[in-house]
Amino acid sequence: MAFNSIPILDLSLARDANTKPSFLESLRSALLEVGFLYVKNTGIDDELIEHVTGQGKAFFDLPEDKKLEVQMKNAASFLGYNKLGNEITALKTDWREQIDLSTPHPLPTASDPLYYNLLSPNQWPDPDHLPMFRPTFESYMSQMSTLSTTFTSLIAEALGLSPTAFSRFFDPDQQHKLKIVKYPDLSCLPADQRSQQGVGPHKDSMLTSYLLQASHHHGLQAQNLSGDWIDCPPISGTLVVAIGQGLEALTHGVCASTTHRVLSPAAGQGPRFSIPFFQGVSYDATFETVDIPDEIMEMRAEIWRKRGVDRMDDVEFTFTKGRWGHLGDATLTNRVKSHPDVGERWYPDILAKIREEERKVREEKERGREAVTEHVHEKKGMDATGPLAAMKEVTV
């Protein structure tokens, strides 16, 4: 059967040799059967979490002109602030505003691949207005970098691999990213645009992501393989871990990347805040895989046999082998697709190619609808003159 709840794992059990085996068993089950989970007792200081939440919310209280000083389209890195309704997922507008940050990196050189533009310095808000913002988030990203690396090693062990099995896919100064997101409630949206899409159905790109739900609002949902949406409500003291498409690709599909979305808060509920951290992978990585033990592959196959259903979700798998030369190429294209305003300024050729591909997809869907309509009309015509019509005449 498809999952109908999200498992909660206690990371403290992984730190004790006596309880680590049972933790790894639970992690393996979550990876193979769900691809979405809560973790508690993460080791991240509670006081730091409070500061991260407070500073994140404070950013959105800045005057509009101060937020626009660090607007994303100012740079080619896709780091910075995005106004409400300025991002697209699943071809629809996401009703959220956000700022994207990264672990520190210098500007790329002229000889670097184009996707190295993603490795760039942050656009930090004015320290005169938010003096603690930068040190708070630099500290949090540093601790989350360590946590994500530790958790990835636990994933490897849960799959019967060496703890360092994924190490070759990381740069020595590996980039990781973070978003601070505000989802206004429906009463704050334009009257003709009150869609519930806070962010549309998507899969995270890299290996793992870690979501801090920074307010009490529900809205996060994961999609099981029957196509049903399962609520992931905020639970104090936890992070929500999502498996990314990169990990699915590296593990031959054993670790499935799970589609998820966020619904906007209902009118009058106030804004929802969330702070997801995204573990990175080297942009130079090609689409290699790791050798998964046969018994793990068989476990995954058995789960599929028991379900007896085809995979069903709302998102196309991005990292198809043979489509891209490097992970960075795929990532850059996805960013342009999500942020066309940045694409128009810095990557017009990539954006033009994306729009042409989307046009072809729309035309193909339209031809499919026309073919179905024509078939229905033909069938109605046959019913009016064929044996069915004669039977109706007799019956009448």
Side-chain angles (χ1 to χ4, degrees), residues 202-224:
H202 66 285
K203 302 173 189 286
D204 292 342
S205 295
M206 300 299 186
L207 292 196
T208 55
S209 58
Y210 304 80
L211 174 65
L212 171 61
Q213 299 195 75
S215 62
H216 65 279
H217 302 80
H218 291 220
L220 176 64
Q221 296 181 323
Q223 190 178 38
N224 66 24

Side-chain angles (χ1 to χ4, degrees), residues 11-174:
L11 269 179
S12 67
L13 300 180
R15 303 183 192 112
D16 185 328
N18 294 320
T19 54
K20 185 175 181 180
S22 64
F23 173 85
L24 293 177
E25 184 177 350
S26 298
L27 177 57
R28 181 167 55 248
S29 175
L31 294 169
L32 271 61
E33 299 188 35
V34 185
F36 221 73
L37 59 143
Y38 294 93
V39 290
K40 64 181 182 179
N41 294 318
T42 62
I44 304 297
D45 184 67
D46 289 343
E47 186 176 5
L48 177 58
I49 293 292
E50 289 181 12
H51 290 161
V52 164
T53 300
Q55 289 293 308
K57 292 178 179 179
F59 172 79
F60 298 107
D61 292 332
L62 288 174
E64 185 72 5
D65 63 319
K66 301 307 293 184
K67 289 187 285 188
L68 293 178
E69 285 180 356
V70 294
Q71 195 169 7
M72 184 179 283
K73 68 179 181 182
N74 293 346
S77 61
F78 294 93
L79 299 173
Y81 171 67
N82 248 334
K83 295 189 296 182
L84 181 66
N86 229 35
E87 185 175 9
I88 294 172
T89 303
L91 303 179
K92 295 181 180 179
T93 298
D94 293 329
W95 291 107
R96 61 180 183 172
E97 60 176 315
Q98 62 193 18
I99 182 170
D100 286 52
L101 303 173
S102 161
T103 49
H105 284 82
L107 285 167
T109 67
S111 61
D112 288 326
L114 187 62
Y115 55 76
Y116 271 34
N117 284 346
L118 300 169
L119 299 167
S120 296
N122 284 304
Q123 298 191 74
W124 293 106
D126 188 341
D128 289 339
H129 285 73
L130 286 176
M132 294 306 297
F133 185 90
R134 179 172 181 172
T136 295
F137 280 97
E138 285 186 332
S139 177
Y140 184 66
M141 285 190 285
S142 176
Q143 292 195 30
M144 287 302 302
S145 298
T146 300
L147 172 62
S148 65
T149 302
T150 300
F151 196 75
T152 304
S153 72
L154 291 171
I155 288 175
E157 291 186 82
L159 299 178
L161 303 171
S162 160
T164 60
F166 299 112
S167 297
R168 70 180 190 271
F169 301 107
F170 299 117
D171 293 326
D173 58 344
Q174 180 58 53

Side-chain angles (χ1 to χ4, degrees), residues 114-305:
L114 187 62
Y115 55 76
Y116 271 34
N117 284 346
L118 300 169
L119 299 167
S120 296
N122 284 304
Q123 298 191 74
W124 293 106
D126 188 341
D128 289 339
H129 285 73
L130 286 176
M132 294 306 297
F133 185 90
R134 179 172 181 172
T136 295
F137 280 97
E138 285 186 332
S139 177
Y140 184 66
M141 285 190 285
S142 176
Q143 292 195 30
M144 287 302 302
S145 298
T146 300
L147 172 62
S148 65
T149 302
T150 300
F151 196 75
T152 304
S153 72
L154 291 171
I155 288 175
E157 291 186 82
L159 299 178
L161 303 171
S162 160
T164 60
F166 299 112
S167 297
R168 70 180 190 271
F169 301 107
F170 299 117
D171 293 326
D173 58 344
Q174 180 58 53
Q175 183 192 52
H176 307 290
K177 293 184 177 181
L178 174 145
K179 288 179 185 283
I180 309 166
V181 189
K182 177 183 179 181
Y183 299 92
D185 75 33
L186 292 177
S187 66
C188 298
L189 303 183
D192 61 341
Q193 296 288 343
R194 291 188 177 174
S195 161
Q196 271 203 290
Q197 178 163 307
V199 61
H202 66 285
K203 302 173 189 286
D204 292 342
S205 295
M206 300 299 186
L207 292 196
T208 55
S209 58
Y210 304 80
L211 174 65
L212 171 61
Q213 299 195 75
S215 62
H216 65 279
H217 302 80
H218 291 220
L220 176 64
Q221 296 181 323
Q223 190 178 38
N224 66 24
L225 297 187
S226 295
D228 301 321
W229 290 102
I230 308 302
D231 287 329
C232 308
I235 299 177
S236 179
T238 69
L239 298 171
V240 178
V241 181
I243 300 306
Q245 295 191 66
L247 190 58
E248 178 170 348
L250 293 179
T251 60
H252 307 271
V254 167
C255 297
S257 177
T258 298
T259 297
H260 50 287
R261 68 181 182 184
V262 174
L263 302 180
S264 298
Q269 288 190 353
R272 177 183 185 272
F273 294 93
S274 68
I275 304 172
F277 174 91
F278 303 95
Q279 180 186 35
V281 182
S282 174
Y283 291 130
D284 292 325
T286 55
F287 293 85
E288 306 170 57
T289 56
V290 294
D291 293 326
I292 303 296
D294 290 343
E295 60 267 26
I296 302 296
M297 296 290 287
E298 178 54 31
M299 286 181 189
R300 180 64 171 158
E302 181 62 20
I303 289 169
W304 283 92
R305 284 194 291 269

Side-chain angles (χ1 to χ4, degrees), residues 323-324 333 337 350-364:
R323 184 179 179 188
W324 310 99
T333 298
K337 185 183 294 185
I350 295 177
L351 183 61
K353 184 177 179 181
I354 290 170
R355 285 175 169 167
E356 176 62 17
E357 290 175 351
E358 290 174 348
R359 182 189 64 79
K360 290 179 179 178
V361 169
R362 286 194 299 269
E363 289 180 351
E364 185 65 29

